[in-house]
Amino acid sequence: MRQHLLLGTTISALFLSGCVTMSDTQRRTATGAGVGALAGAVISSSTGGKAGTGAVIGAGVGALGTYIWSQNMERQKREMEQATQGTGIAVSQTADNQLKLDIPSDISFDVGRSNVKGNFAPVLDRFAASLRANQSTDVRIVGHTDNTGSDAVNNPLSLERANSTRSYLTTRGVSGARIQTEGQGSYQPIASNASADGRARNRRVEIFVGERTGN
């Protein structure tokens, strides 16, 4: 096991040491490959496989599964930070280089409803403009609810909220083919459902934007 971990760590170190002379885009892609190599080595050793094989497979998975954080993505992040300032919407860069907008219920949807609220519309307008200017990105919208009510209500409601957000963006000129939607119901809480504040935080929509390598 120690040898397997050492091999994975060595491969990752080689990837990362080569990043010094790379561009920002190349460096992030190589980092993903290095992390994948380490994961592959660990997985292989834990399942009785050969560490070398696992590391190579992991490197491929890491490289293929990692989004890039380009200048366009950084510009979109800054634009959305400006557009959402003071709204309570959190804008961040995820570990796999996606732009994430975490939109709480008090700005996005009324309780039990899936129609876009008026104060959410200007944010989506600005977001749509950003997407139109950056055609090489994938968009994923995920709806969530708190645990009040049954799955029979929460699951379709969370998807309806995601679809409603998607529909609004398409009316603003964003191709629907670029946008995937999901409804997670109450299954992915970010706070305790034991309090009103926690339930409000769990009623949310998350929007992810990722630019893939090779686009």
Side-chain angles (χ1 to χ4, degrees):
M1 177 66 176
R2 183 177 180 181
Q3 291 177 332
H4 297 333
L5 289 174
L6 179 59
L7 175 60
T9 303
T10 301
I11 293 173
S12 296
L14 290 173
F15 270 100
L16 296 177
S17 63
C19 290
V20 174
T21 59
M22 293 179 180
S23 68
D24 184 62
T25 294
Q26 292 171 327
R27 182 164 56 252
R28 291 182 183 280
T29 302
T31 299
V35 171
L38 177 58
V42 174
I43 292 171
S44 179
S45 65
S46 65
T47 56
K50 294 182 179 180
T53 302
V56 172
I57 293 173
V61 172
L64 292 174
T66 302
Y67 289 100
I68 62 173
W69 191 259
S70 65
Q71 292 181 344
N72 286 335
M73 291 298 295
E74 182 62 30
R75 181 167 56 250
Q76 287 184 80
K77 181 175 182 288
R78 291 197 300 267
E79 289 173 353
M80 293 315 302
E81 286 173 339
Q82 294 174 0
T84 60
Q85 189 172 11
T87 65
I89 295 175
V91 181
S92 61
Q93 176 185 354
T94 67
D96 62 345
N97 294 327
Q98 293 186 81
L99 173 64
K100 179 184 179 183
L101 278 67
D102 196 341
I103 304 143
S105 62
D106 58 353
I107 189 175
S108 54
F109 300 98
D110 289 323
V111 176
R113 303 293 297 275
S114 61
N115 53 304
V116 172
K117 293 175 67 171
N119 55 348
F120 187 26
V123 174
L124 289 179
D125 289 340
R126 183 74 176 271
F127 182 55
S130 177
L131 292 176
R132 292 195 305 269
N134 298 275
Q135 295 289 328
S136 61
T137 52
D138 299 327
V139 184
R140 182 167 57 96
I141 305 173
V142 186
H144 301 269
T145 69
D146 61 31
N147 69 347
T148 303
S150 66
D151 288 346
V153 173
N154 290 333
N155 292 348
L157 177 61
S158 64
L159 180 58
E160 288 167 9
R161 287 175 170 173
N163 286 337
S164 180
T165 305
R166 177 183 182 273
S167 295
Y168 189 96
L169 293 174
T170 60
T171 65
R172 296 303 186 271
V174 182
S175 172
R178 298 173 58 191
I179 307 174
Q180 297 181 354
T181 59
E182 298 177 22
Q184 292 293 335
S186 62
Y187 296 116
Q188 294 182 354
I190 58 174
S192 172
N193 280 301
S195 67
D197 178 68
R199 290 191 295 273
R201 290 180 60 194
N202 291 333
R203 295 191 301 269
R204 69 197 191 279
V205 172
E206 296 170 332
I207 302 178
F208 298 87
V209 182
E211 182 176 339
R212 289 195 173 275
T213 57
N215 282 341

